[in-house]
Amino acid sequence: EAQVTQNPRYLITVTGKKLTVTCSQNMNHEYMSWYRQDPGLGLRQIYYSMNVEVTDKGDVPEGYKVSRKEKRNFPLILESPSPNQTSLYFCASSFGDRVVDTQYFGPGTRLTVL
Amino acid sequence: KNQVEQSPQSLIILEGKNCTLQCNYTVSPFSNLRWYKQDTGRGPVSLTIMTFSENTKSNGRYTATLDADTKQSSLHITASQLSDSASYICVVSAPLGDYKLSFGAGTTVTVRA
């Protein structure tokens, strides 16, 4: 089954404790992206990757890191989480940046930073 | 200021009735406009994608329209069902080569029996 998976789905942590949220897709997509969703603000792009070893900042990259060493995986790293990073995070992927490419979203990771 | 504004923020409709959601955007130039449906606690799912040259696109009971001149789009839900209860998100894409998406905050639709 074609899908985007994220782990963990729920995470409660404390300020400053490094964490990684994994994202994996099995559709051989070139493009992957991370978003955070906060009430009233909609989805905001954190980082995106056009292909292996190619990443770029989105609208809200501060406090986050990403890597794309393999096509299928795109982990999101929070080196020193802070309470303002409490949010719902989504990973998404698509074949590329063609006009009609559909983005497929993962199920989301709800992160709470105390 | 958000480049994609949606209205209303929320609405409640009775099962079987129709409703229309609005999306105004300022992204320019733009490549395409998408509507997503997001059920509570799940990731968004694509409903329609329209390029700047398309005026309308349907997906079952969902019909999206686009007026690129006025930078407005609408999503019409016909004969609503309880399963239509969700958040509907308007997304605008910049031209090819700059794959940054601008998301609206969404309209929450509640369908009641």
Side-chain angles (χ1 to χ4, degrees):
Chain A
E1 179 190 354
Q3 60 182 348
V4 178
T5 57
Q6 296 178 227
N7 281 293
R9 294 290 314 280
Y10 303 91
L11 178 60
I12 300 174
T13 189
V14 296
T15 298
K17 186 176 181 181
K18 181 180 178 180
L19 66 91
T20 299
V21 183
T22 64
C23 173
S24 183
Q25 50 92 5
N26 62 0
M27 296 169 277
N28 201 34
H29 286 168
E30 291 185 349
Y31 177 87
M32 298 184 74
S33 184
W34 275 103
Y35 301 90
R36 61 177 290 173
Q37 187 174 37
D38 302 292
L41 294 179
L43 284 149
R44 292 180 292 169
Q45 191 176 48
I46 303 170
Y47 269 95
Y48 65 95
S49 170
M50 301 297 288
N51 213 325
V52 175
E53 302 292 1
V54 181
T55 63
D56 204 352
K57 296 177 181 178
D59 297 316
V60 289
E62 294 78 19
Y64 305 94
K65 286 177 57 177
V66 293
S67 68
R68 188 89 181 274
K69 293 182 169 53
E70 305 167 279
K71 200 171 189 178
R72 63 182 292 125
N73 296 324
F74 190 45
L76 178 69
I77 304 158
L78 284 72
E79 294 272 1
S80 183
S82 62
N84 63 12
Q85 292 178 299
T86 292
S87 187
L88 180 58
Y89 291 86
F90 288 101
C91 179
S93 73
S94 66
F95 277 110
D97 60 356
R98 294 177 305 162
V99 169
V100 293
D101 278 333
T102 296
Q103 274 204 324
Y104 295 86
F105 284 82
T109 294
R110 187 167 293 280
L111 172 66
T112 301
V113 183
L114 302 174
Chain B
K1 188 181 187 302
N2 197 353
Q3 298 185 77
V4 181
E5 300 285 347
Q6 291 188 243
S7 62
Q9 189 173 28
S10 63
L11 67 94
I12 300 173
I13 59 174
L14 292 177
E15 189 177 14
K17 299 296 186 183
N18 304 332
C19 68
T20 300
L21 316 179
Q22 300 293 337
C23 173
N24 296 336
Y25 62 92
T26 58
V27 177
S28 182
F30 95 107
S31 174
N32 60 72
L33 187 145
R34 305 151 185 250
W35 282 94
Y36 283 86
K37 177 186 179 187
Q38 184 177 21
D39 293 315
T40 301
R42 311 190 80 162
V45 174
S46 179
L47 289 176
T48 63
I49 301 175
M50 290 183 292
T51 66
F52 63 88
S53 61
E54 294 179 291
N55 299 120
T56 185
K57 185 70 70 78
S58 290
N59 179 358
R61 295 179 296 103
Y62 301 101
T63 299
T65 64
L66 173 64
D67 185 335
D69 292 330
T70 62
K71 296 184 170 58
Q72 294 179 325
S73 176
S74 65
L75 180 69
H76 186 75
I77 304 175
T78 303
S80 61
Q81 300 176 0
L82 297 177
S83 60
D84 292 330
S85 294
S87 179
Y88 292 85
I89 304 170
C90 176
V91 185
V92 179
S93 171
L96 204 65
D98 181 11
Y99 205 68
K100 289 189 177 182
L101 304 180
S102 297
F103 287 77
T107 293
T108 300
V109 174
T110 302
V111 181
R112 292 201 173 146

